[in-house]
Amino acid sequence: MPNQRIHLLGANLDALSMQETLAKIEELIRLGKPSQHISINAGKINLMVRNPRLAEIINAAPLVSADGQSVVLAARYLGRHLPERVAGIDLFQELVKLSAEKGWKPYYFGAEEEVVERVVKLDQERYPELEIAGYRNGYFEEAESEQIAKEIRESGADILFVAFSSPKKEFWIHEYQETLQVPFMMGVGGSFDVLSGKTKRAPAWMQKAGLEWFYRFQQEPRRLFSRYIIGNLEFLFRVWREKRKEDKQ
């Protein structure tokens, strides 16, 4: 597949549709080398500015997707082409389906024990032919990380889903990818919580309108005020400043 990478607000980003992203992932799994996928949204763009190490990890990743509709809209406003949003939770579900079809073995890592067990059970019920490499909750001490990574490697997993928050999931995958030796690894954030029914996802019309963040904010306004209200204003300022700079060139 030809490289269709753009640079947006300090981040490398692959201008691929969902189907093109899945094709790229299949290629990475076939090659068999450890590879990290990263999803980008407005919040992660902001985090990259404050955390050079995170920016370095993201820009070195072989596959980076536009998780947030705000990123797609910003790209179009700045004259870059992004075909569509490739939401992490949707990509996760498509990969589970493909794993059942192609015999890939996924490993589920993160969230509370009952949550990850529920997600695994639901996926096995939906796809009886799915062979799951293993799963574990996301509660552990840093000193346990190396052993956990070895256990995941020994499971023979082809795909690793890591349900931590950012930037912990990006750092953990990057730090242990050589020990893990899993062909495709991706962070899925709070996807396990949503798919288990612990939390709710925004209606489809809000997702398409780029208002999924507002749906989440309504559920926990005090906790998420800084992330979504302050963070979104910060992101909009970055887009405006970039547009102004480009117009002057």
Side-chain angles (χ1 to χ4, degrees):
M1 180 182 295
N3 187 7
Q4 300 181 57
R5 180 157 281 197
I6 66 171
H7 193 71
L8 179 73
L9 300 170
N12 290 332
L13 190 57
D14 292 291
L16 303 174
S17 66
M18 175 64 80
Q19 291 307 311
E20 289 168 335
T21 300
L22 291 169
K24 177 66 175 179
I25 292 169
E26 183 170 359
E27 178 186 329
L28 291 171
I29 292 173
R30 180 179 55 79
L31 291 172
K33 297 179 180 179
S35 57
Q36 180 174 9
H37 168 272
I38 296 176
S39 294
I40 292 287
N41 56 23
K44 204 162 292 179
I45 294 279
N46 291 338
L47 275 176
M48 289 175 69
V49 175
R50 294 188 288 272
N51 194 318
R53 182 179 170 226
L54 176 63
E56 184 180 349
I57 290 170
I58 289 172
N59 287 329
L63 186 58
V64 184
S65 300
D67 177 74
Q69 188 65 16
S70 58
V71 174
V72 175
L73 295 174
R76 292 173 184 172
Y77 178 67
L78 294 170
R80 320 290 204 273
H81 173 68
L82 279 178
E84 63 179 344
R85 176 191 184 197
V86 180
I89 188 170
D90 297 331
L91 182 60
F92 167 36
Q93 291 178 288
E94 289 289 338
L95 284 172
V96 172
K97 179 182 177 182
L98 263 183
S99 294
E101 294 173 1
K102 296 182 176 292
W104 300 335
K105 295 189 293 184
Y107 193 105
Y108 300 65
F109 181 23
E112 297 172 353
E113 184 71 19
E114 59 269 29
V115 168
V116 66
E117 284 182 354
R118 173 72 173 158
V119 174
V120 167
K121 181 181 178 183
L122 288 171
D123 283 348
Q124 287 179 318
E125 289 174 352
R126 191 175 293 115
Y127 306 108
E129 66 276 32
L130 178 66
E131 184 180 355
I132 291 174
Y135 68 90
R136 84 173 313 279
N137 65 60
Y139 294 86
F140 60 96
E141 299 295 329
E142 179 55 38
E144 299 177 81
S145 288
E146 186 72 25
Q147 182 58 36
I148 291 170
K150 289 178 180 177
E151 289 171 2
I152 293 172
R153 181 188 65 207
E154 290 165 4
S155 75
D158 300 295
I159 297 176
L160 173 62
F161 300 121
V162 179
F164 303 165
S165 59
S166 288
K168 181 180 178 181
K169 61 180 180 288
E170 287 83 12
F171 290 159
W172 197 90
I173 293 172
H174 179 77
E175 179 72 21
Y176 295 100
Q177 59 182 336
E178 292 304 320
T179 301
L180 289 159
Q181 287 295 309
V182 177
F184 183 76
M185 298 167 281
M186 70 176 287
V188 296
S191 297
F192 291 0
D193 286 344
V194 174
L195 296 172
S196 70
K198 182 180 178 181
T199 59
K200 291 184 179 180
R201 192 180 182 191
W205 71 268
M206 293 188 82
Q207 297 173 37
K208 291 178 182 177
L211 292 172
E212 195 164 7
W213 68 270
F214 186 67
Y215 184 85
R216 291 189 63 196
F217 172 70
Q218 285 182 306
Q219 296 177 65
E220 299 181 88
R222 185 168 296 180
R223 187 177 75 83
L224 297 176
F225 181 84
S226 178
R227 182 192 302 182
Y228 288 129
I229 304 302
I230 304 300
N232 284 351
L233 289 172
E234 183 182 344
F235 178 74
L236 288 171
F237 175 74
R238 294 190 196 287
V239 174
W240 172 80
R241 187 173 60 184
E242 182 69 16
K243 178 66 172 173
R244 191 177 180 191
K245 183 174 75 175
E246 291 182 359
D247 286 346
K248 288 181 178 180
Q249 292 177 351

